[in-house]
Amino acid sequence: MTSNVVEFEDILNNGFSDANTSVRSGVRARWERKNDAEGCSSSSDSRKPPLGGLSDRFIPNRAAMDMEKCSASIVSSAEDSIGDRTDSEFSEAEEDTINSVASDLSEYKSSLLGIDDSKSRILSFAEKAPAPKGDTVNNLQVLYSASTSSRKNKSSTKLVSRHIPSAPTRILDAPDLLDDYYLNLLSWSDTNVLAVALSQTVYLWNAETGQIDELCNVESEGPDAHISSVSWIQEGGGHLAVGTSWGKTMLWDVRAQKQLRKMDGHTDRVGALSWNRHILSSGGRDNLIVNHDVRIAEHKTATLSNHTQEVCGLAWSPDGLTLASGANDNKLCLWDAAASSSSRPRFELTDHQAAVKALAWSPHERNLLATGGGTADRCIKFWNTQSGAMLNSIDTGSQVCALQWNPHEKEILSSHGFARNQLCLWKYPTMAKVKELEGHTARVLHMATSPDGSSVVSAAADETLRFWDVFAAPSKSHTGKRGASDVPGGAKSKKLSRTMHIR
């Protein structure tokens, strides 16, 4: 009985123990497959280098290899193999030969090659990658250039010692101000009176008193008639030239509220006017420039014809020797004061790629002229009018409508069109952007500077006039004993803070 029990236990143990592997599933366990794989890899590791010693294959540039050095190294390795033999294995002749070869190799390496084996490499990878082509665009540079330029602009503002307000000091409504790039509808006299042309009417705004007067109206000339340009005489501020859409140029005595004369010379609208003492120059859509001597009956002294499209910009130099003219033919012409009807311009400059309307002579340097181009050009260019050379050109990114120099410092203010309709203050000659003035909602077509040179008024197609304290006021050393009440324009007048509307 006892033996039967023992046999039964043996059967159970042998039939159901973990050691019984006679019956197995067809699918092997994952840990068994993993162990088999590791076993195979370990067996092959003896034939392969360790993973840590592997690296990418590098094919060197043959031009960067020192072939003489390589040859010398091979010979020296052969010499080392010979040196493994014992001294007893060499004859005296062989030893002399080996010594001479070793000394020759040493001299060759040190004197001819000029390099030391212990401190140099056989292969040299010092050559730089070839530079990209000139027309390659660096997308990252384009992406981050805006932030870099903004940092430069912020640093440039620190160079300006004065405070420049970002908001205008006052705003005037100017209804019916024509949105026409080729007209010049704003002028500020040295008696502190601002003339503004609104469609068919010329208004005068006194900056000291705030009084608004209507000077003239051209409704009688027809429903399509309008004022196309205005310009104050340089000294005295008592006379105003008014250009009309039908080609006439009127001269008004502002104090007497009387028209003195009406001068012809154009067959189409007069869009640009500029004074040189008693000489009034007018530019029209008929492509002509007419010089009028307002003192005599036969006022036309010269008719200058070199432009092929409408003349939209005129400016006499401060010394009265050069007249600059810009037109829709993208040309800038420089005329001598003594030019006659048969004369050609001193220089005809064609660097602009759009209409040249904005013209401004520097009050700091003689023969320095700044010009601005239209939408297709967007550049401010600086010229030496004595030689005709272009000194500098900067792309502003938008249409340049007007330019005004700071009379106290070497700065220039530009007004622009789409897309931001802003005013930009630039430091000359570096042309670092000092300040941007925003507020207009349409292109800023016209600008004028106050008599004391501290304020600038801008007129835009949004039918508003905005006054900016952008230029530095004269220092006490320049004004001397003059008080605030003696400064032209009455900058300290409390009446300037009132809100007004022209009309």
Side-chain angles (χ1 to χ4, degrees):
M1 182 65 183
T2 305
S3 60
N4 294 334
V5 172
V6 172
E7 291 177 0
F8 179 74
E9 290 179 354
D10 291 340
I11 293 173
L12 292 177
N13 292 333
N14 293 332
F16 299 99
S17 64
D18 294 336
N20 185 15
T21 58
S22 59
V23 180
R24 297 182 60 88
S25 173
V27 180
R28 300 178 63 191
R30 181 178 179 182
W31 62 272
E32 293 179 349
R33 296 195 305 270
K34 186 175 181 180
N35 289 338
D36 291 344
E38 289 178 355
C40 295
S41 62
S42 62
S43 62
S44 62
D45 285 345
S46 60
R47 297 187 303 272
K48 294 183 180 179
L51 294 176
L54 295 180
S55 62
D56 293 338
R57 182 186 179 193
F58 183 82
I59 302 176
N61 183 5
R62 185 170 290 274
M65 298 173 61
D66 192 341
M67 303 304 295
E68 297 293 339
K69 179 69 185 300
C70 295
S71 177
S73 298
I74 294 173
V75 174
S76 62
S77 62
E79 176 189 345
D80 295 338
S81 64
I82 295 175
D84 293 338
R85 298 164 59 185
T86 61
D87 295 340
S88 60
E89 298 177 3
F90 293 104
S91 64
E92 293 182 357
E94 288 178 341
E95 289 180 357
D96 294 339
T97 303
I98 292 173
N99 293 334
S100 63
V101 171
S103 61
D104 292 341
L105 288 175
S106 177
E107 291 181 3
Y108 178 77
K109 295 175 185 178
S110 60
S111 62
L112 183 59
L113 297 180
I115 51 180
D116 187 5
D117 287 341
S118 61
K119 299 180 180 180
S120 62
R121 298 179 180 178
I122 297 177
L123 301 180
S124 173
F125 309 117
E127 289 188 355
K128 297 181 179 180
K133 297 181 180 180
D135 57 351
T136 303
V137 177
N138 189 340
N139 294 327
L140 292 179
Q141 183 177 2
V142 173
L143 179 62
Y144 294 106
S145 60
S147 60
T148 304
S149 62
S150 63
R151 287 195 298 269
K152 292 182 179 179
N153 294 338
K154 291 181 180 178
S155 61
S156 64
T157 57
K158 297 179 181 179
L159 301 177
V160 180
S161 58
R162 69 184 188 277
H163 171 67
I164 303 176
S166 299
T169 56
R170 70 180 309 150
I171 302 175
L172 300 181
D173 289 331
D176 298 331
L177 183 72
L178 297 179
D179 183 9
D180 194 325
Y181 178 77
Y182 302 100
L183 306 184
N184 293 271
L185 307 176
L186 194 66
S187 184
W188 205 333
S189 74
D190 60 357
T191 58
N192 211 14
V193 177
L194 184 67
V196 185
L198 303 180
S199 187
Q200 298 181 326
T201 309
V202 176
Y203 292 94
L204 305 177
W205 179 74
N206 191 313
E208 293 183 356
T209 64
Q211 181 179 351
I212 300 173
D213 297 315
E214 180 181 324
L215 179 65
C216 62
N217 190 291
V218 295
E219 292 181 358
S220 59
E221 300 294 336
D224 296 330
H226 59 269
I227 305 298
S228 52
S229 57
V230 293
S231 179
W232 286 101
I233 195 170
Q234 291 173 320
E235 299 177 357
H239 296 84
L240 180 69
V242 179
T244 62
S245 59
W246 62 93
K248 299 294 183 181
T249 303
M250 301 183 293
L251 183 62
W252 282 79
D253 185 341
V254 175
R255 296 185 180 92
Q257 296 282 308
K258 179 181 179 181
Q259 178 181 318
L260 299 180
R261 65 187 309 175
K262 185 182 293 184
M263 298 173 288
D264 56 6
H266 294 280
T267 58
D268 209 330
R269 70 179 183 183
V270 180
L273 295 169
S274 182
W275 285 92
N276 182 19
R277 297 183 180 179
H278 55 273
I279 299 296
L280 174 63
S281 297
S282 59
R285 190 186 268 175
D286 55 4
N287 313 335
L288 299 178
I289 302 172
V290 179
N291 290 339
H292 309 269
D293 189 338
V294 298
R295 303 173 300 175
I296 58 179
E298 297 296 329
H299 54 86
K300 286 192 295 183
T301 60
T303 301
L304 310 177
S305 57
N306 188 68
H307 291 287
T308 58
Q309 293 191 41
E310 180 176 7
V311 179
C312 52
L314 286 176
W316 278 98
S317 62
D319 57 11
L321 299 179
T322 306
L323 173 65
S325 64
N328 197 32
D329 57 4
N330 309 345
K331 292 181 183 178
L332 170 66
C333 295
L334 301 176
W335 306 84
D336 292 323
S340 62
S341 299
S342 59
S343 299
R344 302 290 297 171
R346 184 199 308 165
F347 295 107
E348 180 181 318
L349 307 172
T350 59
D351 295 78
H352 280 290
Q353 304 300 316
V356 184
K357 177 200 174 187
L359 306 173
W361 290 91
S362 172
H364 310 290
E365 298 182 25
R366 191 176 183 183
N367 300 322
L368 175 59
L369 174 66
T371 61
T375 305
D377 183 74
R378 308 177 304 179
C379 291
I380 300 176
K381 299 182 185 295
F382 297 88
W383 309 88
N384 182 335
T385 58
Q386 189 65 28
S387 62
M390 185 174 66
L391 305 178
N392 192 9
S393 178
I394 179 172
D395 188 349
T396 65
S398 58
Q399 179 186 50
V400 182
C401 301
L403 294 171
Q404 289 289 323
W405 284 93
N406 184 345
H408 311 300
E409 297 186 24
K410 288 188 176 181
E411 299 172 346
I412 188 169
L413 183 68
S414 59
S415 66
H416 300 273
F418 181 83
R420 296 177 59 192
N421 309 311
Q422 81 278 25
L423 283 73
C424 295
L425 182 63
W426 310 84
K427 194 74 175 179
Y428 182 83
T430 61
M431 291 308 290
K433 188 179 295 184
V434 177
K435 187 78 172 180
E436 285 191 353
L437 304 174
E438 298 181 342
H440 285 290
T441 59
R443 57 181 178 174
V444 188
L445 296 168
H446 319 288
M447 287 196 301
T449 306
S450 62
D452 64 352
S454 62
S455 300
V456 172
V457 58
S458 58
D462 58 6
E463 299 185 349
T464 63
L465 304 180
R466 296 173 187 262
F467 294 79
W468 313 85
D469 288 341
V470 62
F471 292 155
S475 61
K476 294 182 180 179
S477 60
H478 292 99
T479 56
K481 297 182 180 180
R482 295 172 62 185
S485 60
D486 298 328
V487 178
K492 301 295 184 179
S493 176
K494 295 182 180 179
K495 295 181 179 179
L496 289 180
S497 62
R498 297 187 304 171
T499 303
M500 294 186 180
H501 304 274
I502 295 181
R503 283 195 184 180

